[in-house]
Amino acid sequence: MAPNKSASPALPPEASLIRQLRERPAALSRKMSLSNAMKRLAEIAPDGYGFSDGTWRNIEAGRKIAEDWELVLIGLVLYATPEQVAATGRATAAELLRKEIDARAKTELAASKVSLDDIPAGTKQKLLRQLAEIDNVPGATEKDRQELREVLFGQIDALMDMHAATLRLRAR
């Protein structure tokens, strides 16, 4: 049987991730248009480090392999996690994204009106208690403890996603 010439080659993993994140088929979030993505890129990119919508299109279509710094900026725009980027085989870009997220979080928290003092003591205490319980699970290995921490933080992350969805619904 002759090969199907109309079939397009598979996208590079990072292009698939970018497309998936930008089109995010979730009930409570909308697809991010390329125009909105480029506006966000202009807001977050350090001066002189942005790129054109044509470059974005070429990366997302798999016609251009993103440089690590480009993938980091796209990851910031689309709220990609370092783990998602690493899963595409781009370990260096994933590590750079992790460092950039940490730096931006530190800066944003320092500049925001929210401080650790704003988090109720009871909430802090519950988190500390849960972490202590994880550290003291009888017979657990360090790997087991790490998995339990990941579950805990995954649940916190899911709760934050639900809160964000609630805010979007209220904004409509």
Side-chain angles (χ1 to χ4, degrees), residues 1-10:
M1 182 178 346
N4 182 352
K5 293 188 180 198
S6 66
S8 60

Side-chain angles (χ1 to χ4, degrees), residues 75-87:
L76 291 170
V77 168
L78 298 176
Y79 301 102
T81 66
E83 294 78 17
Q84 289 171 314
V85 173

Side-chain angles (χ1 to χ4, degrees), residues 87-158:
T88 69
R90 301 291 302 268
T92 301
E95 187 54 33
L96 291 171
L97 178 60
R98 182 182 319 284
K99 288 178 181 177
E100 188 64 24
I101 289 170
D102 288 346
R104 287 172 184 256
K106 190 178 290 185
T107 301
E108 288 297 317
L109 288 175
S112 75
K113 296 176 185 170
V114 176
S115 72
L116 286 175
D117 294 338
D118 293 331
I119 299 172
T123 302
K124 288 182 213 173
Q125 191 68 346
K126 285 178 185 177
L127 180 58
L128 292 172
R129 184 179 69 230
Q130 290 301 308
L131 292 171
E133 286 181 18
I134 289 170
D135 287 342
N136 293 309
V137 172
T141 66
E142 186 51 40
K143 182 181 178 192
D144 296 334
R145 288 183 181 92
Q146 184 57 37
E147 287 175 0
L148 289 168
R149 286 185 204 101
E150 287 173 12
V151 168
L152 174 63
F153 292 124
Q155 291 171 335
I156 292 169
D157 189 47

